[in-house]
Amino acid sequence: MKYLELAEELLEFNKKSASMFHSIDNIKKYMEKEDYIYLNEGEDWNLEKGKTYYTTRNGSSLIAFKIGKDLSDYHFQMTASHSDSPTFKVKSVPELEGPDDYIKLNVEAYGGVIDSTWFDKPLTLAGRVLAKNGNKIESKLLYIDKDILIIPNGPIHFNRNINDGYKYNRQVDLCPLFSAGELEKGSYDKMIAEEVGVSEEEIIAKDLFLVNRQEGKIWGVEKEFISTPKLDDLECAFTSMKAFISSQNDKAINVYACFDNEEVGSNTKQGAMSTFLYDTLKRINNNLGYKEEEYFKAISKSYLVSCDNAHAVHPNHPEKTDDENKTFMNGGIVIKEAANQKYTSDAFSQSIFKTIVSRAGVPYQHFANRSDIVGGSTLGNLSNTQVSVHAVDIGLAQLAMHSNYETGGAKDVYYAVKALEEFYNTNIRIDSANSVEIE
């Protein structure tokens, strides 16, 4: 069945996306397979109508775009997702010695980690290493394809009250075990050097993160569920990418954005609050020969779908969700809203997206937090500080968000691709917030 094929491809995509750097490298391979032209931000761009391009920033964020052949209704139709997921980052001086012959790694939380989900699982490392090569410093991707670490729980015999609630100390409890005597201090850097094929002296700096080595699975008697590390937000990064690649809209410029650092606030040079999207759209405008006034007119008619997963009703805690604005796995696209505008959805943007999704024959559902629970924010409202456009926040319903092994609905992968294909293929003609034609 089509949805199972897409779900299997998502699992493989997630497996290859061990860090935000690997996520973008993975997406680049999809683009290159489709003959997208790479644009270096530090070089001149020479764009043509009807062509497809992509650019990157920091090796951890990517923006791809398709320039329509006609552009008689010049505007941008965009999706945004993110390449990072909650994890632990290894500190620059990583080795902690003792007690006795133990060597542990010194780590700190990246994003809103559920600490308990990291215990007693096979772990490894992934990220990038900066190394000297003559007079150059080069970035090298690292993924150690073997089980090399574990964070051991304390036995219940030493903490009889652990099931009554225990507050983990990240400086003490969350240190991964690296060796019990077979390795010595300095072995960590030696291992990294061997893995990337350089000498220890050539390594200058590292951005390395813990990775859960558990395999992703489609499961359930009727294969209802999908479970994998980093479902949030690689599921949306994958589905919006697949929809973008397969779409065509000659009257607009379709844009796919995948930002880094959403899990830590997006306020970085490569995050949704950075100038990356603005810089890219402005360069497209200028390179195609449009004036600044035409750019502002195009932005006023543009539309963004912010794609980041949503909370499904928890089977054991349904009281945590709103009585009516609640969502379920395999229930289709989730449209997210919040009165505080942490989600960008409003009546105007929702009316556009609901019409498109309905036309695609894809079900949709609504999510809003309980009024006594403060929700999080995501990409749309943050990117809108740099590029202000009509936007809707969507996602796919999942359980255990920010666990290091998350669960969603297998059919929702297909629903997302189909709905976002329809979005990219549809020409949206916006007149301020007064009216819109959906062609």
Side-chain angles (χ1 to χ4, degrees), residues 331-348:
I333 301 294
V334 176
I335 299 174
K336 303 186 288 185
E337 60 181 294
N340 62 13
Q341 289 300 288
K342 290 295 182 70
Y343 299 135
T344 58
S345 308
D346 57 24
F348 186 76

Side-chain angles (χ1 to χ4, degrees), residues 375-388:
S377 62
T378 182
L379 302 149
N381 66 321
L382 299 177
S383 64
N384 255 344
T385 62
Q386 295 291 339
V387 180
S388 301

Side-chain angles (χ1 to χ4, degrees), residues 40-41 132 143 147 209 219 231 267 292 366 399 414 417:
N40 188 320
E41 278 200 293
K132 289 187 289 187
Y143 173 65
D147 306 329
F209 302 85
W219 61 278
L231 194 66
N267 194 13
E292 186 172 39
H366 288 277
L399 297 173
Y414 170 76
V417 173

